[in-house]
Amino acid sequence: MSYKFPKDFLFGYSWSGFQFEMGLEGSEVPYSDWWVWVHDQENIIAGLVSGDLPENGPGYWHLYKQDHDIAESLGMNAIRGCVEWARIFPKPTFDVSVDVERDEDDNIIRVDVPEPAIEKLEKIADMEAVKHYREIFADWKERGKTFILNLYHWPLPLWLHDPIKVRKFGPDRAPSGWLDDRSVVEFAKFAAFISYHFDDLVDMWSTMNEPNVVYQQGYINFKSGFPPGYLSFEASIKAAKNMIQAHARAYDAIKAYSKKPVGLIYAFAWIETFDEKLEEQVNNIKNQVLYAFIDAVYAGRTLGTEERKDLKGRLDWIGVNYYSRHVFGEKDGKLTMLDGYGFNCPPGGYCRSGRPASDFGWEIYPEGLGKLLREIASRYNVPLMVTENGIADETDRYRSCYLVSHLYEVYKAVKDGLNVKGYLHWSLTDNYEWAQGFRKRFGLVYIDYNTKKRYLRPSAFIYKEIAKNKEIPEELSHLTNIDALARK
Amino acid sequence: MSYKFPKDFLFGYSWSGFQFEMGLEGSEVPYSDWWVWVHDQENIIAGLVSGDLPENGPGYWHLYKQDHDIAESLGMNAIRGCVEWARIFPKPTFDVSVDVERDEDDNIIRVDVPEPAIEKLEKIADMEAVKHYREIFADWKERGKTFILNLYHWPLPLWLHDPIKVRKFGPDRAPSGWLDDRSVVEFAKFAAFISYHFDDLVDMWSTMNEPNVVYQQGYINFKSGFPPGYLSFEASIKAAKNMIQAHARAYDAIKAYSKKPVGLIYAFAWIETFDEKLEEQVNNIKNQVLYAFIDAVYAGRTLGTEERKDLKGRLDWIGVNYYSRHVFGEKDGKLTMLDGYGFNCPPGGYCRSGRPASDFGWEIYPEGLGKLLREIASRYNVPLMVTENGIADETDRYRSCYLVSHLYEVYKAVKDGLNVKGYLHWSLTDNYEWAQGFRKRFGLVYIDYNTKKRYLRPSAFIYKEIAKNKEIPEELSHLTNIDALARK
Amino acid sequence: MSYKFPKDFLFGYSWSGFQFEMGLEGSEVPYSDWWVWVHDQENIIAGLVSGDLPENGPGYWHLYKQDHDIAESLGMNAIRGCVEWARIFPKPTFDVSVDVERDEDDNIIRVDVPEPAIEKLEKIADMEAVKHYREIFADWKERGKTFILNLYHWPLPLWLHDPIKVRKFGPDRAPSGWLDDRSVVEFAKFAAFISYHFDDLVDMWSTMNEPNVVYQQGYINFKSGFPPGYLSFEASIKAAKNMIQAHARAYDAIKAYSKKPVGLIYAFAWIETFDEKLEEQVNNIKNQVLYAFIDAVYAGRTLGTEERKDLKGRLDWIGVNYYSRHVFGEKDGKLTMLDGYGFNCPPGGYCRSGRPASDFGWEIYPEGLGKLLREIASRYNVPLMVTENGIADETDRYRSCYLVSHLYEVYKAVKDGLNVKGYLHWSLTDNYEWAQGFRKRFGLVYIDYNTKKRYLRPSAFIYKEIAKNKEIPEELSHLTNIDALARK
Amino acid sequence: MSYKFPKDFLFGYSWSGFQFEMGLEGSEVPYSDWWVWVHDQENIIAGLVSGDLPENGPGYWHLYKQDHDIAESLGMNAIRGCVEWARIFPKPTFDVSVDVERDEDDNIIRVDVPEPAIEKLEKIADMEAVKHYREIFADWKERGKTFILNLYHWPLPLWLHDPIKVRKFGPDRAPSGWLDDRSVVEFAKFAAFISYHFDDLVDMWSTMNEPNVVYQQGYINFKSGFPPGYLSFEASIKAAKNMIQAHARAYDAIKAYSKKPVGLIYAFAWIETFDEKLEEQVNNIKNQVLYAFIDAVYAGRTLGTEERKDLKGRLDWIGVNYYSRHVFGEKDGKLTMLDGYGFNCPPGGYCRSGRPASDFGWEIYPEGLGKLLREIASRYNVPLMVTENGIADETDRYRSCYLVSHLYEVYKAVKDGLNVKGYLHWSLTDNYEWAQGFRKRFGLVYIDYNTKKRYLRPSAFIYKEIAKNKEIPEELSHLTNIDALARK
């Protein structure tokens, strides 16, 4: 039995600016919160960040042709990339005035960025960077492939967010990023500017990648080493609220200059419990963690308010990033995420399920992707795309099986009639894994960071076999059985 | 061959207030920075603290007689305890005015706390707590044993230090503990008060336990979960400076009402490198990390200043807390603490040396204690005492061997003429391991926290065999060989 | 809660000749099958035996007083020892004629060994060895303790069994030990001789230790390295049959000169399945493996024959040796012993139950002892005694918990009315573990084989605490919880 | 840097009859020693063999076309196969008389098998099997590829060797295979017969595969479960001697009907010590274990005799089978193979070198292949070929790196001028691993034994990339670094 995907199914990979672009001289963007954050000596000494530096990264800014060649040779027909806000706008855009409407609750319900404003933005922008991005994207488009452009993949310009100052003096005495509602307006300007300049090269738009990770890791999950490392539930909620508005305003701004679908890429995980009596509680968590943000921009539903029309209907497609699951249980009478499952496994060891954990300590759990796609599809009537899926596996011992078993879940979802448009692996090459630096390697392609040379891992050949014919051929169908990897 | 200790050698254990006292109703002290810190929901959710609560602890406040009985039955003749500042002074002592002298650099070089001030302090103090502490200490002294009293074992009164506010708003907008030089003065008042009230029950005094951990973990080693979790090299240095002054002023204050020796208990570790070319660098680290604080209060030496007479000579003995080592090496051209050695080992696993790691992930390295005692003794001409040494080992699989191998190092040091007065194990019973809560168990005695019942671990019998005759008898001398535990 | 044993409960240990006696010059017995077997270069090279040699052993033959002193100091009041057949009779006893009766099936149903025969045996015997054994046993008896003497603990005289020749030429062309029914007669002579000479020093007799291991490991479980390593189901059955007869004839022979109870020590294990549909099959295995031998000498039942009166009623007590369990399951449609349970676990690792495995790879499963004692007691109406129980645990990390948890099972059995007379640990000291040599260490007492010095392991103190007061005191009752050792 | 092999370099795989042919109805050969051995219930119960049965194997006898297709698609241009003696001659060939010459020491120095004898052999032979073998070989040859035929790959006809009888009654009372010097003559007849019938399809001949394993595992290394499991140094030496003669006589017999090169395939390993003072001893072992057999048939040198001209010069090429190394050291004063290195590692775990061990517990040590090829080449002036190299790695986590790192060693050897003709992987597909059965999987291709379906493992694509262009391309050159797999 082979497993065939639709003819127009997209096979590709995703990349982001901060993690991929830098590496060769002239590619640095030292104007972002993340740049400052990972270079901060206190952060490094405290172990909040790895000490690895993004300027020693893959060098995609210069080597994009080579990576596109490899992607093409592996049968890929789609890429999701991004533009770095701080690269385009190293200096503030505050002074470009635009028309902003607020409701009685001070919500930002409209931002207009007309062409004159865009012309003013061009004077602030680094137009060389704009030009170079166009070369990168065009190189891919000229191959007749699909290109998806995402606007925000985590770094904020330093003029908008100074994470070290926030950590030291509090958000009220520092540029505070998403805690400052001016971020909503500035993001709308940025979105309009990008839509205006790049729409001809773009097939699908996304406003943001994993906003939930930003407001979760930045303000709550302290130890993960995300800026600003400012522990505050209140701040997390405020950031989330502003990001929701920012998405909606960016949606409108893109649409002002584009007719392409505009979506959102979200960090999903399968969330479950083995304990029946906890199911309701866990369902509440799921609604909160997985669906509250999307509910807002899909249906205008937000907590404690009436329907917001300014948010509603701002979602043409959903990008699903999936890596593993969370399993909840009870310990000492408290609901808790269980050790030994999902993201709480020993790095490079084995999970309680017997399945191996990745170098990151993440359980390999493809079933979760299948269940999740069904759940999302039943909730939102828009096309889906798997926009990230992959494994930190330096020696490639599990990646082939990880890949095929997850693709098999996607296959089954499509076969059952779900509108899933494609699968973008994270990622083509090794890259800079945020606070973890270079040690977590997610590439089908191994990078020697000293020479910037690319080497194919065995799993790259497996990807190719599948992508080039858009099917999991029978001779690879044994790799759908992830339990073959389980501890004996 | 048996190994005999001197007849007057002290065998005992150490305890601290926050970790041991609470557990039964009426023992809570909710007025300290640590109390607030470990109860903070944001800290718990962020994983900075365990979620275990000290009010579910061993209950020593009520059960002290039982623990003293056990200690006596195990042949112990010495205890090192402490008084909780916030228990004695739940309310501020700022308003009790005392005579404070500062030098031209604004250093606090003298604080006088005469009897009238003490009378005023009595009106603020919880005199019931004073009385109860006297009962606890008297119960031990009446057995004819040695009692060592330490004044500060980490929690600060909340009126002096609000760690949540420091973390959120910065130290300039919150009671900032050791960052505020008023802490020096208030600590001197506290010291005088305690000396005045308890000197009759005390054989030796210590001002502080492991000040270096407080300013290291609180301001630099973020992930350890110590208050205030405020990452700042500058703050760390300032806290250190104030703690040095606080020690000196407390030394003077104790001496005003006591003729007993006053010492300091410090968190030592053996620090080394296997790489000859790094030796000088590592030596500098050692001087900084292990000896700078003690140099100041022993010889008046401080960085960048001339000799401070107000600090010099304030040290009658040194308490050595020892658990494991740090091994430095080079990685990617940078000096770094090596993984797989010392405190950087897999919890419950094995170290690169082949030695087992404790439940905490700390290498068992008794040789380090021997080398360290020699190094300290050659540097400072005061008596030494091992004031903490022990292992997180819930199932007691390594504790007997840990204990005997470390005692053997002490034996050899004494035999070679070093003036080491005693060995205090950490600890008699399981207790509250700060941010780690109850999961790290350091007791010779296991505690069932639900019932507060005490149970003897096998290693307790080994301690007894040695303590009761003050020798490692030949029939236990095989336990000096820690390499018997190494991975085969 | 403490757990009290009856006042007359026996606490002690077991030893055997081959494993303990040798070590110092003059103690060697080079006339037995096991001596030849473990010295055989082909066996050593093939890895059937360890290459360790018994003449480098504990040296009990000379150091017995010292071991008895330790046993007494640990509160022990009972020892089970043995006499080495080949030490007493290095030369054949065939020529001492005795009256032998056979039935129509050629079964040996009676052997009389009257005093004149014993006098002839004395001329063949090494009477110096007899004298020395008396000194050893008397040293213990003079302490007012209980002594249990077992006649056969595995080595056979070489004149009766040459295992190398059996392996090379087949049992029909070599002295074949228990495959030769003359062994029954010679064993009866030996038994009569020992009863005649030692009965005054003996409180209870046992004919054999673990006959089932001899005919199982010697003829079936090839890889265990037991002589003669001759794989043959038929041979195994024949040896079993002769050992049953040998027990019965030895029983009679002992009784001729003694009024003490005569029992049998058997290697039990708890046998079970988790799969309901296999229960009947597994029950059949249990009946075969655990009970067929004892059924024969208790009730005269043997396979395929009518009741044999000459066997029936030859059992005054049963010695229960218990270490772990066997778990049966189905694999590829076949009934099989499951990996990861009982005796099939990774040495020094963890079992599927989460419980640790001993250095031998044996699961710690105390529940099995409790269930087994109940099953045996319901089947046979004779007193029981735990005659072996212990763990290969060189570093003593599990032994205390192993000991207490198994004793707790015995306590509960006694409390429920079972007639269990005592608990004999295997063993006081490290000793020669047959084909495994010295690497598997079962002692409460560690032996340095180079110096023959004895050192106490921590578990020895636990044994002492329990044995001296005949109770598991409350303060050690936490050690009954073996699951505290389970993998977290 | 890419690593290019010569244009005529052979890339292929090896298979053997017993391990591959059976699986589908009609392919069974129940007339061999190995068939009887692995079906023997006593062997199975004793754990000497796995209980897996070869008749459930890969089914190559019927599915050869499919496997040849896969091999071709992977770029392979060479196969080494074999003919099963017992399949061709299920009945004795003793009665076909041939001219045999012996020297004064009774050595067999000449066997002539003229055409009339071959005609008589045809009457005994299973000519259907001959025909089917021709179909198999022709299917490969018709693809224009190289075919190497080996005559003996371990199973002997039962009429020549009954291993169960040897084990039970001794070799003097059973057909004893290589212990009987008639085996030399019968093997010569078989060789002549095969040469006569198949030479047109064959490019290179080999007489035997790994004779050293046969006489080592069969008579010494008991626990490996090889027939006849008869422990005897003498028997091992005798078998070796007969196999040397059998090779020489088969060489002559093949040559009588063929002009192709005739070689020998030997089980090599790299043998070394880290202890300088043991080097001489270890060198002697090496000479004995690795080179004595080949010295005999290359130069006529044998132990304790003068040069034998009847042996000398019977070697046109050497087949090198290589898997791992042996490391010798001293333990307790004795020379011993060290645990944790080479073949003595924990299955699926890690070696002391930090390198991973295969599912078999074999260290990955490619350096050994390079050193060995050099050593062999410096000793014998004949072409070499790597005839087996591979890894038991069910989930393919190490195979790609194993493959490339070993091929890199071969590349360097060739580049340095060594005459290495090709590399044959063990193996294309999973197969029956002798006493270990189906659990050790060596295939680039996974087999589902229930359906006999073939599935490609990721490493198959790596093999293909290299074989099709006869180079390790730069993009795979990172896989030469086996230390990337080492435990961190």
Side-chain angles (χ1 to χ4, degrees), chain C residues 40-43 45-52 166-173 216 220-225 229-234 331-332 334 339 439, chain D residues 40-43 45-52 166-173 216 220-225 229-234 331-332 334 339 439:
Chain C
D40 182 72
Q41 281 307 304
E42 291 179 332
N43 280 349
I45 295 289
L48 278 182
V49 299
S50 67
D52 292 343
V166 169
R167 203 191 63 209
K168 293 217 161 174
F169 307 121
D172 58 337
R173 297 193 287 183
Q216 174 71 25
I220 296 181
N221 189 352
F222 226 38
K223 292 186 166 180
S224 64
Y230 184 79
L231 179 53
S232 163
F233 294 167
E234 195 190 336
K331 208 153 79 179
D332 305 333
K334 279 175 277 185
D339 274 338
R439 282 170 216 176
Chain D
D40 182 73
Q41 283 305 304
E42 292 179 332
N43 280 350
I45 294 289
L48 277 182
V49 300
S50 68
D52 291 344
V166 169
R167 203 189 64 208
K168 293 216 162 173
F169 309 120
D172 58 337
R173 298 192 285 183
Q216 174 71 25
I220 295 181
N221 190 350
F222 225 38
K223 292 185 167 182
S224 64
Y230 185 80
L231 179 53
S232 163
F233 294 167
E234 198 191 333
K331 208 153 81 178
D332 306 333
K334 280 176 278 183
D339 273 339
R439 284 171 214 174

Side-chain angles (χ1 to χ4, degrees), chain A residues 369-439:
Chain A
L369 178 55
K371 289 186 269 190
L372 192 61
L373 289 172
R374 282 164 173 78
E375 196 170 276
I376 299 169
S378 75
R379 193 162 182 138
Y380 307 111
N381 186 24
V382 294
L384 307 183
M385 186 179 307
V386 178
T387 35
E388 287 188 23
N389 176 246
I391 180 169
D393 179 17
E394 182 168 358
T395 62
D396 210 48
R397 52 188 179 165
Y398 304 135
R399 189 175 282 104
S400 292
C401 204
Y402 182 99
L403 173 68
V404 180
S405 60
H406 283 79
L407 275 172
Y408 180 58
E409 293 292 330
V410 176
Y411 160 80
K412 286 187 292 184
V414 171
K415 191 169 159 247
D416 290 356
L418 267 69
N419 188 5
V420 184
K421 296 292 187 193
Y423 172 90
L424 308 180
H425 194 71
W426 187 270
S427 179
L428 183 71
T429 65
D430 292 337
N431 58 85
Y432 186 76
E433 183 53 28
W434 308 106
Q436 301 281 336
F438 297 118
R439 283 170 214 175

Side-chain angles (χ1 to χ4, degrees), chain D residues 352-402:
Chain D
R352 285 189 185 238
S353 60
R355 300 269 181 83
S358 76
D359 294 347
F360 229 135
W362 298 356
E363 187 182 12
I364 304 181
Y365 190 69
E367 299 90 329
L369 177 56
K371 289 186 269 188
L372 193 60
L373 288 172
R374 282 165 173 77
E375 195 170 276
I376 299 169
S378 75
R379 192 163 181 138
Y380 308 110
N381 187 24
V382 294
L384 307 183
M385 187 180 304
V386 178
T387 35
E388 288 188 21
N389 176 245
I391 181 169
D393 179 18
E394 182 167 358
T395 62
D396 210 47
R397 53 188 177 165
Y398 304 134
R399 189 175 282 104
S400 292
C401 203
Y402 182 99

Side-chain angles (χ1 to χ4, degrees), chain A residues 345 348-351 353-358 362-364 398 482 485-487:
Chain A
C345 296
Y350 285 88
C351 311
S353 60
R355 300 268 182 85
S358 76
W362 298 356
E363 187 181 12
I364 304 180
Y398 304 135
I482 200 79
L485 300 181
R487 174 156 54 186

